[in-house]
Amino acid sequence: GAAGREGESVRPLLVDLETEWRGGQNQALLLLKGLRAQGHAAELIAVESSALAERARAAGETVHGVPARFSTLHAYREIRRIFREAVPEIIHANEPHALTAAWLAGAHDLTAMVVSRRVGYPLSRSWLAKKRYRAARRIIANSHWVAGIVENCGIAREKITVIYEGVEILAVPSPAQRSRARACWGVSPETPLLGCAGVFLPDKGQEWLIQALAGLRLEFPNCRLLLAGDGRLRPKLEAQAHELGVADAVLFPGFVKDVENVYAALDVFLFPSLFEGLGTSLLAAMAHAVPSITFDRCAFGEIVENEKSGLLVETADVHEIQGAVARFLRDPEFARRIGEAGRERVQQNFSADGMVEKMITLYEELGATERGR
């Protein structure tokens, strides 16, 4: 393992002040568990009642909880307190509020500070935002697309490292698991089931899928769509399904904690997001060998090789989405081939283990430089 490579343990202090459970928090938990499995004890500063703090504690990780109110200020104090006892070789800010807290605490002057960047928005134009990011020893972008955006904001390329987010590679669901999962959603074995997992927000694109379903039901009358997730657009999406006459064919189970039950049940996964740093639910679906369709934009072309490990379609083009789904449903052999190639692609480039290995390599490289200073 990596620990044996250098014979030294890297002991990063991870900081994440998000209260909701999103992709970045899942990556933080996978990283904490992966580090421990390799003999590296990391510690986490997180909001006391957050999903990340609770799940990290349940996994046996060391968590320093801070109150949700004024969490940046409380995290700043907690960082100062920890640094007074012993300065960690690495402090890793997992999101922007964490970076603010670490920067205010002067962590960048005392140790190697790294920050994760997972969104495709340019860095804020304010001098303060730029100063915080410039203070980081390294910015970890989750795709080459995100790295390019960070670089265009005036950050030197050598300060940016691309480490793809990872998903756990589980066994492909057995026929028994598949039928159990489908029964969970009340879907019969012969019903074509399309699906998507994500929060219901304007840039997530679920409305295109409901439109595509309406067209697909002309050729596949019993085809259904499972939209796992929740969010402020739910009433709007439900109303749209009614208007298009497909309300009985669209399943809205809300937030699904055991999302494996979604992937195991599906025939086709759709990822219609308009704006995403990478797209971990797409990776997870592909890891389950579900043939997947996404838009040809953002970093999705870094994940899917069109016609080989998935299908890329024109952004927000309902006819293209319909056509791509119909190809899979008409030709199960083609669907199976694409699904298997997708799983292999994720195994090689986007596994949680691979993410952890690359993170350890970066930590060790920066730790060595830190010791040499």
Side-chain angles (χ1 to χ4, degrees), residues 32-156:
L32 288 165
K33 287 174 163 176
L35 286 166
R36 174 187 289 270
Q38 298 246 25
H40 303 281
E43 296 188 7
L44 171 70
I45 295 177
V47 171
E48 190 53 70
S49 53
S50 67
L52 175 58
E54 285 170 7
R55 292 185 193 197
R57 275 211 182 95
E61 303 298 337
T62 303
V63 180
H64 305 272
V66 297
R69 203 151 174 256
F70 306 122
S71 60
T72 305
L73 179 65
H74 289 294
Y76 149 81
R77 286 189 181 140
E78 189 60 18
I79 291 165
R80 298 282 293 222
R81 186 192 66 75
I82 290 170
F83 273 56
R84 277 198 297 276
E85 287 176 13
V87 177
E89 267 180 12
I90 306 283
I91 184 165
H92 183 163
N94 197 47
E95 45 77 36
H97 301 296
L99 174 61
T100 302
W103 181 74
L104 287 171
H108 53 290
D109 291 328
L110 301 169
T111 192
M113 182 172 85
V114 301
V115 57
S116 288
R117 186 75 183 168
R118 298 191 170 83
V119 293
Y121 305 105
L123 301 180
S124 163
R125 284 222 174 89
S126 78
W127 69 271
L128 189 63
K130 290 267 174 69
K131 206 169 159 71
R132 286 177 322 174
Y133 278 94
R134 289 212 172 102
R137 196 71 52 83
R138 203 68 62 88
I139 296 167
I140 304 163
N142 66 342
S143 65
H144 290 282
W145 178 68
V146 167
I149 290 162
V150 173
E151 193 179 356
N152 288 342
C153 292
I155 301 289

Side-chain angles (χ1 to χ4, degrees), residues 216-364:
L216 280 160
R217 277 173 70 90
L218 300 173
E219 185 180 346
F220 307 96
N222 62 342
C223 185
R224 298 185 78 182
L225 173 65
L226 174 63
L227 295 179
D230 222 330
R232 60 186 166 90
L233 282 195
R234 180 169 174 163
K236 201 175 164 190
L237 294 169
E238 287 176 339
Q240 183 194 14
H242 273 282
E243 277 160 36
L244 294 172
V246 293
D248 60 327
V250 184
L251 300 165
F252 286 98
F255 177 77
V256 178
K257 194 157 187 201
D258 184 12
V259 76
E260 267 69 45
N261 261 337
V262 174
Y263 303 125
L266 297 181
D267 294 299
V268 179
F269 183 81
L270 296 144
F271 192 70
S273 188
L274 301 174
F275 200 72
E276 203 88 35
L278 192 65
T280 45
S281 65
L282 172 61
L283 294 175
M286 289 169 68
H288 282 79
V290 185
S292 299
I293 300 165
T294 187
F295 293 146
D296 191 3
R297 61 181 296 126
C298 304
F300 308 146
E302 293 177 47
I303 300 174
V304 168
E305 311 140 294
N306 191 30
E307 300 279 336
K308 191 174 164 197
S309 50
L311 295 178
L312 294 172
V313 298
E314 198 52 52
T315 300
D317 187 320
V318 176
H319 294 292
E320 278 217 28
I321 297 168
Q322 275 172 220
V325 173
R327 282 180 69 188
F328 285 147
L329 297 184
R330 286 178 200 137
D331 187 348
E333 182 45 40
F334 172 63
R336 190 190 60 77
R337 224 174 33 245
I338 292 277
E340 282 178 6
R343 177 173 164 87
E344 201 164 299
R345 172 105 180 131
V346 171
Q347 257 175 323
Q348 283 172 2
N349 301 281
F350 303 97
S351 73
D353 289 349
M355 178 271 290
V356 171
E357 277 291 348
K358 290 185 178 72
M359 212 64 95
I360 290 171
T361 301
L362 176 64
Y363 289 163
E364 285 177 343

